[in-house]
Amino acid sequence: MRVFVEGVGLLGPGLDGWPAGRAVLAGESAYQAAPTNLRSSDMLPAPERRRAGVPIKLALAVGQEAFLQSGRDTRTAATVFTSSGGDNDNAHAINGILATAPREVSPTRFHNSVHNAAAGYWCIAAGTHEPSTSLCAHDASFAAGLLESATQVAVDGAVVVLIAYDHPYPEPLHTVRPIAAPFGMALILTAQQTDKSLAAITVELVAGGASETTMQDAGLDALRRGVPAARGLPLLAALASGKPTQISLAWFADNHLKLGVTPC
């Protein structure tokens, strides 16, 4: 399958937006880890903004940035959301409530606990009725989201925004399932090249294992290994470099995704 990248959103520790992150990923600036600059999106009405947790802030920030870059209307693209855990703070809080009496979970906690909560908030913020898919595939969540997005673009000719995000669990869940930091990224993918296209990506699911593509910078590679959504960093680095690149992403059962990136 071949798709074109038309917009990028990025938010993570020391990676505050695509312009600054692109320079770091291209090797033009040194990577310096810093707390992720989480903020509420002005896309949401005030009541929903107050209820939005970390994953909603991540998803909306990177999705909005990608659309601003592409110049497309947010109401015109299908969405694919992928996260290894969803709202981990909320999962921790609900587990705590259910472990004590009275077991009363608030409606807000309940509706934020479903895995497609980010998709729901996005649809409100973007005013869209386009199809939406929410995925979870443990450490392969980014690869699963990319494969699903490329399939929708190739089969339906749809414009798709892929939004990947993850954030740490509180203790004691963090000890069992450590995620290093809040991180999100978004890609707007199209079937046809446009004057906004940054690169073409070929996506192929290949049987058998292969060594994953790593990051040259040790800090960025620690981020890649420590956050499932950040497994897409080598793809962003290829987009930032503007050079033809081959990338391998791990998939289940020792299979992998083979990506070819060609700048437009």
Side-chain angles (χ1 to χ4, degrees), residues 57-101:
K57 293 175 181 175
L58 284 169
L60 266 62
V62 297
Q64 184 177 22
E65 183 184 19
F67 272 97
L68 287 173
Q69 186 180 134
S70 74
R72 286 189 181 270
D73 188 328
T74 57
R75 296 170 294 184
T76 61
T79 49
V80 173
F81 292 84
T82 186
S83 172
S84 72
D87 192 333
N88 302 333
D89 292 329
N90 202 39
H92 168 77
I94 290 176
N95 285 334
I97 292 168
L98 295 178
T100 57

Short mmCIF file of all heavy atoms in Angstrom, two decimals, residues 57-101:
data_model
loop_
_atom_site.label_atom_id
_atom_site.label_comp_id
_atom_site.label_asym_id
_atom_site.label_seq_id
_atom_site.Cartn_x
_atom_site.Cartn_y
_atom_site.Cartn_z
N LYS A 57 -6.01 15.54 25.91
CA LYS A 57 -5.14 16.69 25.60
C LYS A 57 -4.09 16.32 24.56
O LYS A 57 -3.81 17.08 23.64
CB LYS A 57 -4.48 17.19 26.89
CG LYS A 57 -5.46 17.81 27.88
CD LYS A 57 -4.76 18.19 29.19
CE LYS A 57 -5.76 18.79 30.18
NZ LYS A 57 -5.15 19.06 31.49
N LEU A 58 -3.50 15.14 24.70
CA LEU A 58 -2.49 14.70 23.73
C LEU A 58 -3.11 14.55 22.34
O LEU A 58 -2.57 15.05 21.34
CB LEU A 58 -1.90 13.35 24.16
CG LEU A 58 -0.91 13.35 25.31
CD1 LEU A 58 -0.64 11.91 25.76
CD2 LEU A 58 0.41 14.01 24.90
N ALA A 59 -4.24 13.83 22.28
CA ALA A 59 -4.84 13.51 20.99
C ALA A 59 -5.29 14.78 20.26
O ALA A 59 -5.06 14.93 19.05
CB ALA A 59 -6.03 12.57 21.20
N LEU A 60 -5.92 15.69 20.99
CA LEU A 60 -6.40 16.90 20.33
C LEU A 60 -5.25 17.82 19.92
O LEU A 60 -5.32 18.46 18.86
CB LEU A 60 -7.39 17.64 21.24
CG LEU A 60 -8.87 17.29 21.00
CD1 LEU A 60 -9.15 15.83 21.28
CD2 LEU A 60 -9.78 18.19 21.82
N ALA A 61 -4.21 17.90 20.74
CA ALA A 61 -3.09 18.79 20.40
C ALA A 61 -2.41 18.35 19.11
O ALA A 61 -2.15 19.16 18.21
CB ALA A 61 -2.08 18.80 21.55
N VAL A 62 -2.13 17.05 18.98
CA VAL A 62 -1.40 16.60 17.78
C VAL A 62 -2.32 16.56 16.56
O VAL A 62 -1.90 16.85 15.44
CB VAL A 62 -0.72 15.23 18.01
CG1 VAL A 62 0.34 15.35 19.10
CG2 VAL A 62 -1.72 14.13 18.36
N GLY A 63 -3.59 16.19 16.77
CA GLY A 63 -4.52 16.19 15.65
C GLY A 63 -4.73 17.59 15.10
O GLY A 63 -4.70 17.82 13.89
N GLN A 64 -4.90 18.56 15.99
CA GLN A 64 -5.10 19.95 15.55
C GLN A 64 -3.87 20.46 14.81
O GLN A 64 -3.99 21.12 13.77
CB GLN A 64 -5.40 20.83 16.76
CG GLN A 64 -5.71 22.28 16.40
CD GLN A 64 -6.07 23.11 17.63
OE1 GLN A 64 -5.72 22.77 18.76
NE2 GLN A 64 -6.78 24.20 17.43
N GLU A 65 -2.68 20.14 15.31
CA GLU A 65 -1.47 20.62 14.64
C GLU A 65 -1.36 20.04 13.23
O GLU A 65 -0.99 20.75 12.28
CB GLU A 65 -0.21 20.24 15.45
CG GLU A 65 1.05 20.80 14.80
CD GLU A 65 2.34 20.39 15.49
OE1 GLU A 65 2.33 19.40 16.25
OE2 GLU A 65 3.36 21.06 15.24
N ALA A 66 -1.67 18.76 13.08
CA ALA A 66 -1.58 18.13 11.76
C ALA A 66 -2.55 18.77 10.77
O ALA A 66 -2.21 19.01 9.60
CB ALA A 66 -1.84 16.63 11.88
N PHE A 67 -3.76 19.07 11.24
CA PHE A 67 -4.74 19.69 10.34
C PHE A 67 -4.34 21.12 9.99
O PHE A 67 -4.52 21.56 8.85
CB PHE A 67 -6.14 19.67 10.97
CG PHE A 67 -6.89 18.41 10.68
CD1 PHE A 67 -6.90 17.37 11.58
CD2 PHE A 67 -7.57 18.25 9.48
CE1 PHE A 67 -7.59 16.19 11.31
CE2 PHE A 67 -8.25 17.08 9.19
CZ PHE A 67 -8.27 16.04 10.11
N LEU A 68 -3.81 21.87 10.95
CA LEU A 68 -3.37 23.23 10.65
C LEU A 68 -2.27 23.22 9.60
O LEU A 68 -2.22 24.08 8.71
CB LEU A 68 -2.87 23.91 11.93
CG LEU A 68 -3.96 24.32 12.94
CD1 LEU A 68 -3.33 24.82 14.24
CD2 LEU A 68 -4.86 25.40 12.34
N GLN A 69 -1.39 22.21 9.67
CA GLN A 69 -0.31 22.12 8.69
C GLN A 69 -0.83 21.78 7.30
O GLN A 69 -0.36 22.31 6.30
CB GLN A 69 0.70 21.06 9.16
CG GLN A 69 1.94 20.97 8.30
CD GLN A 69 2.89 19.91 8.82
OE1 GLN A 69 3.40 19.11 8.07
NE2 GLN A 69 3.10 19.89 10.12
N SER A 70 -1.79 20.88 7.24
CA SER A 70 -2.30 20.44 5.94
C SER A 70 -3.27 21.45 5.32
O SER A 70 -3.45 21.47 4.10
CB SER A 70 -3.00 19.09 6.08
OG SER A 70 -4.26 19.25 6.71
N GLY A 71 -3.91 22.26 6.17
CA GLY A 71 -4.90 23.19 5.67
C GLY A 71 -6.25 22.57 5.40
O GLY A 71 -7.14 23.22 4.84
N ARG A 72 -6.44 21.31 5.75
CA ARG A 72 -7.72 20.64 5.54
C ARG A 72 -8.73 20.98 6.64
O ARG A 72 -8.36 21.31 7.76
CB ARG A 72 -7.53 19.11 5.49
CG ARG A 72 -6.89 18.62 4.23
CD ARG A 72 -6.93 17.11 4.13
NE ARG A 72 -6.28 16.66 2.90
CZ ARG A 72 -6.93 16.47 1.75
NH1 ARG A 72 -8.23 16.66 1.68
NH2 ARG A 72 -6.27 16.07 0.68
N ASP A 73 -10.00 20.84 6.29
CA ASP A 73 -11.10 21.00 7.24
C ASP A 73 -11.17 19.75 8.12
O ASP A 73 -11.17 18.62 7.59
CB ASP A 73 -12.40 21.19 6.45
CG ASP A 73 -13.58 21.56 7.35
OD1 ASP A 73 -13.63 21.12 8.51
OD2 ASP A 73 -14.47 22.27 6.86
N THR A 74 -11.22 19.92 9.43
CA THR A 74 -11.26 18.76 10.34
C THR A 74 -12.51 17.90 10.15
O THR A 74 -12.54 16.76 10.59
CB THR A 74 -11.21 19.22 11.81
OG1 THR A 74 -12.31 20.13 12.04
CG2 THR A 74 -9.90 19.92 12.12
N ARG A 75 -13.52 18.45 9.48
CA ARG A 75 -14.77 17.71 9.29
C ARG A 75 -14.71 16.76 8.11
O ARG A 75 -15.68 16.04 7.86
CB ARG A 75 -15.94 18.68 9.11
CG ARG A 75 -16.22 19.55 10.32
CD ARG A 75 -17.21 20.65 10.02
NE ARG A 75 -16.65 21.61 9.07
CZ ARG A 75 -17.26 22.72 8.68
NH1 ARG A 75 -18.46 23.01 9.16
NH2 ARG A 75 -16.69 23.54 7.83
N THR A 76 -13.57 16.73 7.38
CA THR A 76 -13.54 16.00 6.12
C THR A 76 -12.68 14.74 6.15
O THR A 76 -12.51 14.11 5.11
CB THR A 76 -13.03 16.91 5.00
OG1 THR A 76 -11.69 17.34 5.32
CG2 THR A 76 -13.91 18.14 4.85
N ALA A 77 -12.13 14.37 7.30
CA ALA A 77 -11.22 13.23 7.35
C ALA A 77 -11.72 12.16 8.31
O ALA A 77 -12.22 12.47 9.40
CB ALA A 77 -9.82 13.68 7.78
N ALA A 78 -11.58 10.90 7.90
CA ALA A 78 -11.81 9.79 8.84
C ALA A 78 -10.69 9.78 9.87
O ALA A 78 -9.61 10.36 9.65
CB ALA A 78 -11.84 8.48 8.07
N THR A 79 -10.94 9.13 11.01
CA THR A 79 -9.93 9.12 12.07
C THR A 79 -9.62 7.69 12.51
O THR A 79 -10.50 6.83 12.56
CB THR A 79 -10.42 9.91 13.30
OG1 THR A 79 -11.74 9.48 13.65
CG2 THR A 79 -10.45 11.39 13.02
N VAL A 80 -8.35 7.47 12.83
CA VAL A 80 -7.91 6.23 13.46
C VAL A 80 -7.13 6.62 14.71
O VAL A 80 -6.10 7.30 14.62
CB VAL A 80 -7.03 5.38 12.53
CG1 VAL A 80 -6.46 4.18 13.30
CG2 VAL A 80 -7.84 4.90 11.32
N PHE A 81 -7.62 6.24 15.87
CA PHE A 81 -6.95 6.50 17.14
C PHE A 81 -6.33 5.20 17.62
O PHE A 81 -6.96 4.13 17.56
CB PHE A 81 -7.95 7.00 18.19
CG PHE A 81 -8.49 8.36 17.90
CD1 PHE A 81 -9.57 8.53 17.04
CD2 PHE A 81 -7.93 9.49 18.47
CE1 PHE A 81 -10.07 9.79 16.75
CE2 PHE A 81 -8.43 10.76 18.19
CZ PHE A 81 -9.50 10.91 17.33
N THR A 82 -5.11 5.28 18.12
CA THR A 82 -4.47 4.07 18.63
C THR A 82 -3.70 4.40 19.90
O THR A 82 -3.00 5.42 19.98
CB THR A 82 -3.56 3.43 17.57
OG1 THR A 82 -3.06 2.18 18.06
CG2 THR A 82 -2.39 4.33 17.19
N SER A 83 -3.89 3.56 20.92
CA SER A 83 -3.24 3.76 22.21
C SER A 83 -3.13 2.42 22.90
O SER A 83 -4.06 1.61 22.85
CB SER A 83 -4.06 4.73 23.07
OG SER A 83 -3.55 4.80 24.39
N SER A 84 -2.02 2.18 23.58
CA SER A 84 -1.85 0.89 24.25
C SER A 84 -2.70 0.79 25.50
O SER A 84 -2.97 -0.31 25.98
CB SER A 84 -0.38 0.66 24.60
OG SER A 84 0.00 1.49 25.67
N GLY A 85 -3.13 1.94 26.06
CA GLY A 85 -3.86 1.87 27.32
C GLY A 85 -5.09 2.75 27.42
O GLY A 85 -5.98 2.47 28.20
N GLY A 86 -5.16 3.84 26.69
CA GLY A 86 -6.27 4.78 26.83
C GLY A 86 -6.01 5.75 27.97
O GLY A 86 -4.91 6.28 28.12
N ASP A 87 -7.03 5.97 28.80
CA ASP A 87 -6.91 6.91 29.93
C ASP A 87 -6.42 6.14 31.16
O ASP A 87 -7.22 5.62 31.95
CB ASP A 87 -8.26 7.58 30.20
CG ASP A 87 -8.13 8.76 31.16
OD1 ASP A 87 -7.18 8.76 31.97
OD2 ASP A 87 -8.97 9.67 31.10
N ASN A 88 -5.12 6.11 31.36
CA ASN A 88 -4.54 5.30 32.42
C ASN A 88 -4.78 5.89 33.81
O ASN A 88 -4.91 5.14 34.79
CB ASN A 88 -3.04 5.12 32.17
CG ASN A 88 -2.77 4.48 30.84
OD1 ASN A 88 -3.61 3.74 30.32
ND2 ASN A 88 -1.60 4.74 30.25
N ASP A 89 -4.82 7.23 33.90
CA ASP A 89 -5.16 7.86 35.19
C ASP A 89 -6.57 7.47 35.62
O ASP A 89 -6.82 7.15 36.79
CB ASP A 89 -5.07 9.38 35.08
CG ASP A 89 -3.65 9.87 34.88
OD1 ASP A 89 -2.72 9.21 35.38
OD2 ASP A 89 -3.48 10.92 34.23
N ASN A 90 -7.48 7.48 34.67
CA ASN A 90 -8.87 7.16 34.97
C ASN A 90 -9.02 5.68 35.33
O ASN A 90 -9.79 5.32 36.23
CB ASN A 90 -9.74 7.51 33.76
CG ASN A 90 -11.18 7.70 34.13
OD1 ASN A 90 -11.49 8.26 35.17
ND2 ASN A 90 -12.07 7.23 33.28
N ALA A 91 -8.29 4.81 34.63
CA ALA A 91 -8.34 3.38 34.96
C ALA A 91 -7.87 3.14 36.39
O ALA A 91 -8.48 2.36 37.15
CB ALA A 91 -7.47 2.59 33.98
N HIS A 92 -6.81 3.84 36.79
CA HIS A 92 -6.30 3.72 38.16
C HIS A 92 -7.35 4.20 39.16
O HIS A 92 -7.62 3.53 40.18
CB HIS A 92 -5.02 4.53 38.30
CG HIS A 92 -4.57 4.71 39.71
ND1 HIS A 92 -3.93 3.71 40.42
CD2 HIS A 92 -4.68 5.77 40.56
CE1 HIS A 92 -3.66 4.15 41.65
NE2 HIS A 92 -4.09 5.38 41.76
N ALA A 93 -7.97 5.36 38.88
CA ALA A 93 -8.96 5.92 39.80
C ALA A 93 -10.17 5.00 39.94
O ALA A 93 -10.68 4.78 41.05
CB ALA A 93 -9.40 7.30 39.31
N ILE A 94 -10.66 4.45 38.83
CA ILE A 94 -11.83 3.56 38.89
C ILE A 94 -11.50 2.29 39.65
O ILE A 94 -12.30 1.79 40.45
CB ILE A 94 -12.33 3.26 37.46
CG1 ILE A 94 -12.95 4.53 36.85
CG2 ILE A 94 -13.32 2.11 37.46
CD1 ILE A 94 -13.40 4.37 35.41
N ASN A 95 -10.30 1.75 39.43
CA ASN A 95 -9.91 0.56 40.19
C ASN A 95 -9.90 0.85 41.68
O ASN A 95 -10.31 0.01 42.51
CB ASN A 95 -8.52 0.08 39.75
CG ASN A 95 -8.56 -0.63 38.41
OD1 ASN A 95 -9.60 -1.18 38.02
ND2 ASN A 95 -7.45 -0.62 37.69
N GLY A 96 -9.42 2.05 42.06
CA GLY A 96 -9.41 2.43 43.47
C GLY A 96 -10.81 2.55 44.04
O GLY A 96 -11.08 2.13 45.17
N ILE A 97 -11.72 3.14 43.25
CA ILE A 97 -13.12 3.29 43.70
C ILE A 97 -13.77 1.92 43.88
O ILE A 97 -14.46 1.66 44.87
CB ILE A 97 -13.91 4.13 42.68
CG1 ILE A 97 -13.41 5.58 42.68
CG2 ILE A 97 -15.41 4.09 42.97
CD1 ILE A 97 -13.92 6.41 41.52
N LEU A 98 -13.55 1.01 42.94
CA LEU A 98 -14.17 -0.31 42.99
C LEU A 98 -13.60 -1.18 44.11
O LEU A 98 -14.22 -2.16 44.51
CB LEU A 98 -14.01 -1.02 41.64
CG LEU A 98 -14.74 -0.37 40.47
CD1 LEU A 98 -14.47 -1.13 39.18
CD2 LEU A 98 -16.25 -0.30 40.73
N ALA A 99 -12.42 -0.80 44.61
CA ALA A 99 -11.80 -1.59 45.68
C ALA A 99 -12.25 -1.13 47.06
O ALA A 99 -11.84 -1.71 48.07
CB ALA A 99 -10.28 -1.50 45.57
N THR A 100 -13.04 -0.04 47.12
CA THR A 100 -13.49 0.48 48.40
C THR A 100 -15.00 0.72 48.35
O THR A 100 -15.60 0.80 47.27
CB THR A 100 -12.79 1.81 48.73
OG1 THR A 100 -13.02 2.73 47.68
CG2 THR A 100 -11.29 1.59 48.89
N ALA A 101 -15.63 0.86 49.51
CA ALA A 101 -17.07 1.15 49.58
C ALA A 101 -17.26 2.65 49.83
O ALA A 101 -16.48 3.25 50.58
CB ALA A 101 -17.71 0.34 50.71
#
